[in-house]
Amino acid sequence: MSTAILTGQPVPGSSLEGDLRSLGFDVRVASGAGDAETLLAQVPAGQRVALVDARFVGHVHALRLGLTDPRFPAAALPGAVTAQPDARQALTRAVARESSAVSGHTAVAVDNLADRVTAALDTDGVAVHRPELGSLVAVVPADPQARNEARQAVASVDDEAVRLRTAVKSRDGFFTTHFISPYSRYLARWCARRGLTPNQVTTASLLTALIAAGCAATGTRGGFVAAGALLILSFVLDCADGQLARYSLQYSTLGAWLDATFDRAKEYAYYAGLALGAARGGDDVWALALGAMVLQTCRHVVDFSFNEANADSTAATANASPTAALSDRLDSAGWTVWLRRMIVLPIGERWAMIAVLTAVTTPRITFYALLIGCAFAATYTTAGRVLRSLTRKARRTDRAAEALADLADSGALAQALVRLLRKLPAKPPFGARVFVTLPGAVILVAAAWREPYGSWLPVGAAVLYTLTSAAAVALPLKGALDWLVPPFLRAAEYGTVLLLAAKAEVNGALPAAFGLVAAVAYHHYDTVYRIRGNAGAPPQWLVRAIGGHEGRTLLVTVLAALLAPTEFKVALTALAVAVALVVLAESIRFWVSAGAPAVHDEGEPA
């Protein structure tokens, strides 16, 4: 139970106490600053507490946004301030100072205690979140006339309509915005009124997608049609879970983990279902399914790496390049915004395309279209980011360089070599770390592609790849294009596994490779979301236990050189299971722990 302490002169007929109780607060009334300090001390240290001016006039949703959001230790809006347990000590100190600044226990009528405490928290360096209220009202009127005007302003804005509208993200794709969100938001509200949680809706979305994959695996036309319909339903639920979280402010660490990983699990499980369905019809498309997963994962790593490399840039620096200026000019024309969002093939457009093609064509045609669309989108977005990076004058920060090094996923072999390679010159050619990575990655993939199965040349290429990847991370990744290092490493590792499994030409090798890449990709996504939550990379023991990118790549090439194709298939399967078990166990432990960060997308300001 949270506690709200009303301070200041009571207002007859005010609904404030009822509004706070509807939000789950136990309401107590303080006669003055000294009494507020006493009541604050009586609230258990593990509870949220809020100070609210009794004269407050505003929407209930404004109070909800300001006083109940679990993501922020301290938050405030005009006439109210709240603190969760992490910020309780700072709030207590601020109230004590303000209490000593007034005489005795007299009521504070004009000088708002809540606002003064908020100012004191700011002075103390406490991060106080202030929600964007938009058209919502939150004021402390100074006189009866102002109070009447504020109440009229409250009456003129539909609180529930604003709440429903802002449950939808502001920067979704065209398909999601125009074909899903207009009704999924009402589904989210329906779930909220029945006490369902976002995690339950997320789980329902996953189960629906897995059923869709099962339908696709039947290989029948009816199964494909059902799979397409269920995939769209899964996406509707996927949108609704985030909208429910924003609608009811139900954010949690477990929800962050589910939201961050289930989208990829659903999509890649569906790829596997399509491949199984095609195999039932006599068409082997496992190479296409694995290729689609590799391409999609590398696209995401490009996004993550570029964003992390520029996360600390100021708005002025970030938009200083000519490419960014051109992008801003294009955004001024409304139709170009939607066109540019569509051609990058975000999840809504991508899943809609997959669902329709599954229902009316074959798995092979579906994968061809997916590969072509994703390749075009990857080329478009990567080219734009390269141009921005080359023309931008911003310098990479130490935090950005550390994040890129964590995304590289270097194991024990690379780390041992790093200690020997730190003396490399920091100026070009070695200053541009991406150009150290690229030759080794290209030679490795080329060797796996050109050489027959069982050749030792890919092993030699993997040794060279280990050396170049270690050299790339030996010094901080602060070059203009060094954010490309993690994507190149992902493409080299995943591509090598795909090519060697395809060269084995034995039933089951490509599905085993699919499982291995899926397990490793999960680890890489998990790394990204830990970094996004400011929790750092996964522990070093985990990275070493699963070999790091260079260790896994070297191991797979050695296995392909030593083992017969059927034995290689078994080895890939065992490796996939081992990596999946270790990675999932540590990931689950982390994300359900109390210290795991909540990573969620924000809704549009009201």
Side-chain angles (χ1 to χ4, degrees):
M1 173 69 75
S2 302
T3 300
I5 300 173
L6 293 183
T7 65
Q9 189 66 37
V11 178
S14 172
S15 64
L16 182 58
E17 286 193 40
D19 293 341
L20 290 170
R21 289 194 175 93
S22 72
L23 296 176
F25 285 94
D26 176 28
V27 181
R28 304 178 186 180
V29 180
S31 59
D35 193 23
E37 183 181 6
T38 301
L39 291 174
L40 178 61
Q42 295 174 356
V43 178
Q47 290 186 6
R48 174 192 287 274
V49 66
L51 294 177
V52 184
D53 193 297
R55 300 166 299 159
F56 176 89
V57 176
H59 289 98
V60 175
H61 191 48
L63 289 171
R64 180 182 292 106
L65 291 173
L67 303 182
T68 68
D69 196 321
R71 296 170 297 174
F72 308 103
L77 67 162
V81 61
T82 184
Q84 295 199 80
D86 289 347
R88 279 287 300 275
Q89 189 174 3
L91 179 69
T92 300
R93 289 196 302 266
V95 171
R97 287 204 305 272
E98 295 306 318
S99 176
S100 64
V102 298
S103 57
H105 291 230
T106 58
V108 181
V110 176
D111 196 11
N112 189 340
L113 176 61
D115 286 345
R116 290 191 292 117
V117 169
T118 301
L121 291 173
D122 288 333
T123 301
D124 292 343
V126 178
V128 180
H129 171 69
R130 291 172 172 83
E132 296 185 57
L133 299 178
S135 58
L136 296 175
V137 177
V139 296
V140 180
D143 54 60
Q145 180 179 351
R147 184 173 299 111
N148 288 334
E149 292 174 353
R151 287 174 174 170
Q152 291 175 6
V154 169
S156 67
V157 176
D158 188 338
D159 178 276
E160 178 60 21
V162 172
R163 184 183 180 189
L164 196 59
R165 187 180 73 249
T166 55
V168 178
K169 287 194 295 185
S170 60
R171 289 186 57 82
D172 261 330
F174 179 85
F175 179 77
T176 305
T177 299
H178 295 285
F179 294 95
I180 303 297
S181 292
Y183 56 88
S184 63
R185 69 183 75 182
Y186 295 101
L187 175 61
R189 182 171 65 181
W190 182 89
C191 293
R193 290 177 175 177
R194 283 151 184 82
L196 297 177
T197 66
N199 293 350
Q200 291 171 328
V201 178
T202 301
T203 303
S205 176
L206 174 65
L207 293 175
T208 304
L210 293 179
I211 295 172
C215 291
T218 64
T220 64
R221 177 52 52 195
F224 287 146
V225 172
L230 287 170
L231 186 65
I232 292 297
L233 176 58
S234 175
F235 183 63
V236 172
L237 293 171
D238 180 60
C239 293
D241 67 356
Q243 292 163 359
L244 174 58
R246 287 182 287 272
Y247 181 85
S248 56
L249 298 185
Q250 295 184 71
Y251 300 105
S252 68
T253 54
L254 178 60
W257 174 65
L258 296 176
D259 184 65
T261 58
F262 276 16
D263 279 353
R264 302 289 75 78
K266 289 181 288 189
E267 185 166 359
Y268 297 160
Y270 192 83
Y271 292 177
L274 280 177
L276 289 170
R280 284 180 176 272
D283 189 12
D284 186 354
V285 298
W286 275 106
L288 297 178
L290 180 51
M293 181 166 65
V294 169
L295 180 56
Q296 189 59 32
T297 303
C298 290
R299 278 188 64 196
H300 288 144
V301 177
V302 167
D303 294 341
F304 299 144
S305 297
F306 180 80
N307 291 334
E308 288 301 324
N310 297 283
D312 298 328
S313 300
T314 64
T317 304
N319 294 318
S321 70
T323 309
L326 174 61
S327 177
D328 291 339
R329 286 197 297 271
L330 289 174
D331 283 345
S332 63
W335 65 271
T336 65
V337 174
W338 291 119
L339 179 62
R340 293 166 67 207
R341 290 187 191 178
M342 290 172 65
I343 62 177
V344 300
L345 210 61
I347 186 171
E349 278 76 357
R350 191 169 65 252
W351 282 28
M353 180 185 74
I354 294 171
V356 171
L357 291 178
T358 298
V360 301
T361 64
T362 65
R364 179 172 290 275
I365 292 175
T366 300
F367 281 124
Y368 280 152
L370 181 62
L371 286 166
I372 293 171
C374 287
F376 177 80
T379 303
Y380 170 78
T381 55
T382 304
R385 286 166 177 168
V386 167
L387 289 174
R388 286 193 180 204
S389 299
L390 291 175
T391 56
R392 182 179 293 172
K393 299 179 180 179
R395 296 176 62 86
R396 298 283 182 263
T397 65
D398 290 339
R399 193 209 68 81
E402 181 181 359
L404 292 177
D406 290 336
L407 289 173
D409 190 35
S410 299
L413 285 175
Q415 290 298 328
L417 290 169
V418 161
R419 289 189 285 272
L420 301 175
L421 298 172
R422 288 193 186 280
K423 295 183 180 180
L424 286 173
K427 296 181 180 180
F430 294 112
R433 324 307 296 176
V434 65
F435 297 116
V436 178
T437 306
L438 188 58
V442 170
I443 290 172
L444 172 63
V445 174
W449 178 35
R450 298 290 297 175
E451 290 298 303
Y453 179 82
S455 170
W456 282 90
L457 187 59
V459 177
V463 172
L464 176 64
Y465 167 77
T466 300
L467 290 170
T468 57
S469 62
V473 298
L475 292 177
L477 298 173
K478 292 187 174 182
L481 296 178
D482 284 354
W483 55 270
L484 284 170
V485 169
F488 282 154
L489 298 179
R490 296 296 80 77
E493 179 185 0
Y494 299 165
T496 299
V497 173
L498 188 161
L499 291 169
L500 292 178
K503 288 294 182 71
E505 296 183 344
V506 60
N507 287 336
L510 280 168
F514 188 97
L516 175 58
V517 172
V520 175
Y522 176 88
H523 165 62
H524 291 144
Y525 282 114
D526 187 57
T527 301
V528 165
Y529 285 104
R530 292 190 195 216
I531 294 173
R532 278 187 172 183
N534 295 318
Q540 277 298 307
W541 72 260
L542 175 65
V543 178
R544 293 192 181 99
I546 61 175
H549 71 91
E550 80 290 348
R552 290 186 300 270
T553 303
L554 186 59
L555 176 60
V556 170
T557 58
V558 170
L559 291 173
L562 287 175
L563 301 178
T566 54
E567 295 170 333
F568 181 61
K569 174 188 68 175
V570 175
L572 284 182
T573 303
L575 184 58
V577 171
V579 171
L581 288 176
V582 174
V583 168
L584 281 172
E586 162 56 20
S587 178
I588 293 171
R589 182 210 62 78
F590 172 77
W591 286 103
V592 300
S593 69
V599 184
H600 289 276
D601 293 326
E602 285 287 352
E604 154 186 46

Short mmCIF file of all heavy atoms in Angstrom, two decimals, residues 191 195-207 237-238 240-245 248 250-260 262 266 591-592 599-600:
data_model
loop_
_atom_site.label_atom_id
_atom_site.label_comp_id
_atom_site.label_asym_id
_atom_site.label_seq_id
_atom_site.Cartn_x
_atom_site.Cartn_y
_atom_site.Cartn_z
N CYS A 191 -8.37 -5.58 -21.22
CA CYS A 191 -7.52 -6.40 -20.35
C CYS A 191 -7.29 -5.73 -19.01
O CYS A 191 -7.31 -6.39 -17.95
CB CYS A 191 -6.18 -6.67 -21.04
SG CYS A 191 -6.28 -7.71 -22.52
N GLY A 195 -8.23 -6.98 -14.94
CA GLY A 195 -7.12 -7.32 -14.08
C GLY A 195 -6.00 -8.11 -14.72
O GLY A 195 -5.14 -8.65 -14.02
N LEU A 196 -5.99 -8.20 -16.04
CA LEU A 196 -4.91 -8.91 -16.72
C LEU A 196 -3.65 -8.06 -16.71
O LEU A 196 -3.72 -6.83 -16.77
CB LEU A 196 -5.30 -9.26 -18.15
CG LEU A 196 -6.49 -10.20 -18.31
CD1 LEU A 196 -6.82 -10.40 -19.78
CD2 LEU A 196 -6.21 -11.54 -17.65
N THR A 197 -2.50 -8.70 -16.68
CA THR A 197 -1.23 -7.98 -16.65
C THR A 197 -0.59 -8.01 -18.03
O THR A 197 -0.87 -8.90 -18.85
CB THR A 197 -0.27 -8.61 -15.64
OG1 THR A 197 0.09 -9.93 -16.09
CG2 THR A 197 -0.91 -8.70 -14.25
N PRO A 198 0.34 -7.07 -18.31
CA PRO A 198 1.06 -7.12 -19.59
C PRO A 198 1.80 -8.43 -19.79
O PRO A 198 1.88 -8.94 -20.92
CB PRO A 198 2.02 -5.93 -19.48
CG PRO A 198 1.35 -4.98 -18.54
CD PRO A 198 0.65 -5.85 -17.55
N ASN A 199 2.35 -8.99 -18.72
CA ASN A 199 3.09 -10.26 -18.85
C ASN A 199 2.18 -11.39 -19.31
O ASN A 199 2.58 -12.27 -20.09
CB ASN A 199 3.74 -10.64 -17.52
CG ASN A 199 4.84 -9.67 -17.13
OD1 ASN A 199 5.24 -8.83 -17.92
ND2 ASN A 199 5.31 -9.80 -15.91
N GLN A 200 0.95 -11.39 -18.84
CA GLN A 200 0.00 -12.41 -19.28
C GLN A 200 -0.34 -12.26 -20.76
O GLN A 200 -0.43 -13.24 -21.49
CB GLN A 200 -1.27 -12.35 -18.42
CG GLN A 200 -1.05 -12.78 -16.98
CD GLN A 200 -2.25 -12.49 -16.10
OE1 GLN A 200 -2.99 -11.52 -16.32
NE2 GLN A 200 -2.46 -13.33 -15.08
N VAL A 201 -0.49 -11.01 -21.21
CA VAL A 201 -0.79 -10.77 -22.62
C VAL A 201 0.43 -11.12 -23.48
O VAL A 201 0.29 -11.69 -24.57
CB VAL A 201 -1.21 -9.30 -22.83
CG1 VAL A 201 -1.48 -9.02 -24.31
CG2 VAL A 201 -2.45 -8.98 -22.00
N THR A 202 1.62 -10.80 -22.99
CA THR A 202 2.85 -11.16 -23.71
C THR A 202 2.95 -12.68 -23.87
O THR A 202 3.30 -13.18 -24.95
CB THR A 202 4.08 -10.64 -22.95
OG1 THR A 202 3.99 -9.23 -22.82
CG2 THR A 202 5.35 -10.99 -23.69
N THR A 203 2.65 -13.39 -22.81
CA THR A 203 2.70 -14.86 -22.86
C THR A 203 1.66 -15.40 -23.84
O THR A 203 1.93 -16.34 -24.59
CB THR A 203 2.48 -15.45 -21.46
OG1 THR A 203 3.46 -14.92 -20.56
CG2 THR A 203 2.58 -16.96 -21.48
N ALA A 204 0.47 -14.79 -23.84
CA ALA A 204 -0.57 -15.20 -24.79
C ALA A 204 -0.11 -14.97 -26.22
O ALA A 204 -0.38 -15.79 -27.12
CB ALA A 204 -1.86 -14.44 -24.51
N SER A 205 0.60 -13.86 -26.45
CA SER A 205 1.13 -13.58 -27.79
C SER A 205 2.14 -14.64 -28.21
O SER A 205 2.13 -15.12 -29.35
CB SER A 205 1.78 -12.19 -27.81
OG SER A 205 2.38 -11.94 -29.06
N LEU A 206 3.02 -15.03 -27.27
CA LEU A 206 4.01 -16.06 -27.58
C LEU A 206 3.33 -17.39 -27.90
O LEU A 206 3.67 -18.06 -28.90
CB LEU A 206 4.96 -16.24 -26.40
CG LEU A 206 5.96 -17.40 -26.52
CD1 LEU A 206 6.93 -17.15 -27.65
CD2 LEU A 206 6.70 -17.62 -25.20
N LEU A 207 2.38 -17.78 -27.08
CA LEU A 207 1.69 -19.05 -27.31
C LEU A 207 0.96 -19.05 -28.64
O LEU A 207 0.96 -20.06 -29.37
CB LEU A 207 0.71 -19.33 -26.17
CG LEU A 207 1.34 -19.59 -24.80
CD1 LEU A 207 0.27 -19.73 -23.73
CD2 LEU A 207 2.22 -20.84 -24.84
N LEU A 237 -1.77 -9.00 -30.17
CA LEU A 237 -1.50 -9.17 -28.74
C LEU A 237 -0.16 -8.57 -28.35
O LEU A 237 -0.01 -8.02 -27.25
CB LEU A 237 -1.54 -10.66 -28.38
CG LEU A 237 -2.90 -11.35 -28.50
CD1 LEU A 237 -2.75 -12.85 -28.32
CD2 LEU A 237 -3.88 -10.78 -27.47
N ASP A 238 0.81 -8.66 -29.25
CA ASP A 238 2.12 -8.07 -28.99
C ASP A 238 2.02 -6.56 -28.84
O ASP A 238 2.71 -5.96 -28.00
CB ASP A 238 3.08 -8.44 -30.12
CG ASP A 238 4.46 -7.87 -29.90
OD1 ASP A 238 5.09 -8.21 -28.89
OD2 ASP A 238 4.92 -7.08 -30.74
N ALA A 240 -0.79 -5.03 -27.94
CA ALA A 240 -1.65 -4.77 -26.79
C ALA A 240 -0.90 -4.87 -25.47
O ALA A 240 -1.22 -4.16 -24.52
CB ALA A 240 -2.83 -5.75 -26.80
N ASP A 241 0.13 -5.73 -25.39
CA ASP A 241 0.81 -5.85 -24.11
C ASP A 241 1.56 -4.58 -23.74
O ASP A 241 1.50 -4.12 -22.60
CB ASP A 241 1.74 -7.08 -24.08
CG ASP A 241 2.92 -6.97 -25.03
OD1 ASP A 241 3.01 -5.99 -25.77
OD2 ASP A 241 3.76 -7.90 -25.03
N GLY A 242 2.22 -3.96 -24.72
CA GLY A 242 2.88 -2.68 -24.45
C GLY A 242 1.89 -1.57 -24.17
O GLY A 242 2.11 -0.71 -23.30
N GLN A 243 0.78 -1.58 -24.91
CA GLN A 243 -0.25 -0.56 -24.67
C GLN A 243 -0.88 -0.73 -23.29
O GLN A 243 -1.19 0.25 -22.61
CB GLN A 243 -1.29 -0.64 -25.78
CG GLN A 243 -0.75 -0.20 -27.14
CD GLN A 243 -1.61 -0.64 -28.30
OE1 GLN A 243 -2.63 -1.30 -28.13
NE2 GLN A 243 -1.18 -0.29 -29.52
N LEU A 244 -1.05 -1.98 -22.87
CA LEU A 244 -1.58 -2.23 -21.53
C LEU A 244 -0.60 -1.74 -20.47
O LEU A 244 -1.01 -1.15 -19.45
CB LEU A 244 -1.83 -3.73 -21.36
CG LEU A 244 -2.25 -4.21 -19.96
CD1 LEU A 244 -3.53 -3.50 -19.50
CD2 LEU A 244 -2.43 -5.72 -19.95
N ALA A 245 0.70 -1.96 -20.69
CA ALA A 245 1.70 -1.49 -19.73
C ALA A 245 1.68 0.02 -19.61
O ALA A 245 1.76 0.57 -18.50
CB ALA A 245 3.09 -1.97 -20.16
N SER A 248 -1.83 1.24 -17.94
CA SER A 248 -1.98 1.03 -16.50
C SER A 248 -0.68 1.24 -15.73
O SER A 248 -0.65 1.04 -14.52
CB SER A 248 -2.49 -0.40 -16.25
OG SER A 248 -1.64 -1.36 -16.85
N GLN A 250 1.98 -0.54 -15.69
CA GLN A 250 2.43 -1.80 -15.10
C GLN A 250 3.76 -2.21 -15.74
O GLN A 250 3.79 -3.01 -16.66
CB GLN A 250 1.39 -2.90 -15.31
CG GLN A 250 0.06 -2.66 -14.60
CD GLN A 250 -0.87 -3.84 -14.78
OE1 GLN A 250 -0.67 -4.92 -14.24
NE2 GLN A 250 -1.92 -3.64 -15.57
N TYR A 251 4.82 -1.63 -15.23
CA TYR A 251 6.15 -1.96 -15.72
C TYR A 251 6.84 -2.85 -14.70
O TYR A 251 6.71 -2.64 -13.50
CB TYR A 251 6.98 -0.70 -15.93
CG TYR A 251 6.39 0.26 -16.92
CD1 TYR A 251 5.78 1.44 -16.50
CD2 TYR A 251 6.44 0.00 -18.28
CE1 TYR A 251 5.25 2.33 -17.42
CE2 TYR A 251 5.91 0.88 -19.21
CZ TYR A 251 5.32 2.05 -18.77
OH TYR A 251 4.79 2.93 -19.67
N SER A 252 7.60 -3.84 -15.17
CA SER A 252 8.29 -4.74 -14.26
C SER A 252 9.55 -5.26 -14.92
O SER A 252 9.70 -5.23 -16.14
CB SER A 252 7.39 -5.92 -13.88
OG SER A 252 7.17 -6.76 -15.00
N THR A 253 10.48 -5.75 -14.10
CA THR A 253 11.72 -6.31 -14.64
C THR A 253 11.44 -7.58 -15.43
O THR A 253 12.04 -7.80 -16.48
CB THR A 253 12.71 -6.61 -13.50
OG1 THR A 253 12.07 -7.44 -12.54
CG2 THR A 253 13.14 -5.34 -12.80
N LEU A 254 10.55 -8.41 -14.92
CA LEU A 254 10.19 -9.61 -15.67
C LEU A 254 9.54 -9.24 -16.99
O LEU A 254 9.82 -9.85 -18.03
CB LEU A 254 9.25 -10.49 -14.84
CG LEU A 254 8.76 -11.77 -15.52
CD1 LEU A 254 9.94 -12.67 -15.88
CD2 LEU A 254 7.78 -12.52 -14.62
N GLY A 255 8.67 -8.25 -16.97
CA GLY A 255 8.04 -7.79 -18.20
C GLY A 255 9.05 -7.27 -19.20
O GLY A 255 8.91 -7.46 -20.41
N ALA A 256 10.09 -6.60 -18.69
CA ALA A 256 11.14 -6.11 -19.58
C ALA A 256 11.81 -7.26 -20.31
O ALA A 256 12.07 -7.20 -21.51
CB ALA A 256 12.17 -5.31 -18.77
N TRP A 257 12.11 -8.33 -19.57
CA TRP A 257 12.77 -9.48 -20.19
C TRP A 257 11.85 -10.15 -21.21
O TRP A 257 12.27 -10.46 -22.33
CB TRP A 257 13.17 -10.47 -19.10
CG TRP A 257 13.72 -11.75 -19.63
CD1 TRP A 257 14.88 -11.92 -20.34
CD2 TRP A 257 13.12 -13.05 -19.51
NE1 TRP A 257 15.03 -13.25 -20.66
CE2 TRP A 257 13.99 -13.96 -20.17
CE3 TRP A 257 11.97 -13.53 -18.90
CZ2 TRP A 257 13.71 -15.32 -20.24
CZ3 TRP A 257 11.70 -14.88 -18.97
CH2 TRP A 257 12.56 -15.76 -19.63
N LEU A 258 10.58 -10.35 -20.84
CA LEU A 258 9.65 -10.99 -21.76
C LEU A 258 9.49 -10.15 -23.02
O LEU A 258 9.53 -10.68 -24.14
CB LEU A 258 8.29 -11.17 -21.07
CG LEU A 258 8.25 -12.11 -19.87
CD1 LEU A 258 6.86 -12.10 -19.25
CD2 LEU A 258 8.64 -13.52 -20.27
N ASP A 259 9.31 -8.86 -22.86
CA ASP A 259 9.09 -7.98 -24.00
C ASP A 259 10.31 -7.94 -24.90
O ASP A 259 10.20 -7.87 -26.13
CB ASP A 259 8.75 -6.57 -23.49
CG ASP A 259 8.42 -5.62 -24.62
OD1 ASP A 259 7.41 -5.84 -25.32
OD2 ASP A 259 9.18 -4.65 -24.82
N ALA A 260 11.50 -8.00 -24.29
CA ALA A 260 12.73 -7.86 -25.06
C ALA A 260 13.08 -9.10 -25.86
O ALA A 260 13.78 -9.02 -26.87
CB ALA A 260 13.89 -7.52 -24.12
N PHE A 262 10.74 -12.08 -26.45
CA PHE A 262 9.69 -12.91 -27.05
C PHE A 262 9.43 -12.57 -28.51
O PHE A 262 9.04 -13.45 -29.29
CB PHE A 262 8.40 -12.80 -26.24
CG PHE A 262 8.35 -13.74 -25.06
CD1 PHE A 262 9.49 -14.35 -24.59
CD2 PHE A 262 7.15 -14.01 -24.42
CE1 PHE A 262 9.46 -15.20 -23.51
CE2 PHE A 262 7.10 -14.87 -23.33
CZ PHE A 262 8.26 -15.47 -22.87
N LYS A 266 9.31 -15.53 -31.17
CA LYS A 266 8.12 -15.80 -31.99
C LYS A 266 8.46 -15.84 -33.47
O LYS A 266 8.04 -16.75 -34.20
CB LYS A 266 7.05 -14.73 -31.70
CG LYS A 266 6.42 -14.83 -30.34
CD LYS A 266 5.37 -13.76 -30.12
CE LYS A 266 5.97 -12.40 -29.95
NZ LYS A 266 4.98 -11.37 -29.52
N TRP A 591 17.13 -11.61 -15.22
CA TRP A 591 15.95 -10.79 -15.47
C TRP A 591 14.87 -10.90 -14.41
O TRP A 591 14.04 -9.99 -14.28
CB TRP A 591 15.38 -11.09 -16.86
CG TRP A 591 16.22 -10.52 -17.95
CD1 TRP A 591 17.10 -11.17 -18.75
CD2 TRP A 591 16.30 -9.14 -18.33
NE1 TRP A 591 17.72 -10.30 -19.60
CE2 TRP A 591 17.23 -9.05 -19.38
CE3 TRP A 591 15.65 -7.98 -17.90
CZ2 TRP A 591 17.55 -7.83 -19.99
CZ3 TRP A 591 15.96 -6.78 -18.52
CH2 TRP A 591 16.90 -6.71 -19.54
N VAL A 592 14.86 -11.98 -13.66
CA VAL A 592 13.87 -12.07 -12.58
C VAL A 592 14.45 -11.59 -11.25
O VAL A 592 13.75 -11.56 -10.25
CB VAL A 592 13.34 -13.51 -12.41
CG1 VAL A 592 12.69 -13.99 -13.66
CG2 VAL A 592 14.45 -14.46 -11.97
N VAL A 599 13.16 -2.23 -19.08
CA VAL A 599 13.42 -1.61 -20.38
C VAL A 599 12.12 -1.62 -21.17
O VAL A 599 11.65 -2.66 -21.59
CB VAL A 599 14.51 -2.39 -21.15
CG1 VAL A 599 14.84 -1.68 -22.45
CG2 VAL A 599 15.77 -2.54 -20.31
N HIS A 600 11.54 -0.45 -21.35
CA HIS A 600 10.26 -0.37 -22.05
C HIS A 600 10.25 0.84 -22.97
O HIS A 600 10.91 1.84 -22.71
CB HIS A 600 9.10 -0.22 -21.05
CG HIS A 600 8.81 -1.46 -20.26
ND1 HIS A 600 8.02 -2.47 -20.73
CD2 HIS A 600 9.23 -1.85 -19.04
CE1 HIS A 600 7.94 -3.43 -19.83
NE2 HIS A 600 8.66 -3.08 -18.80
#
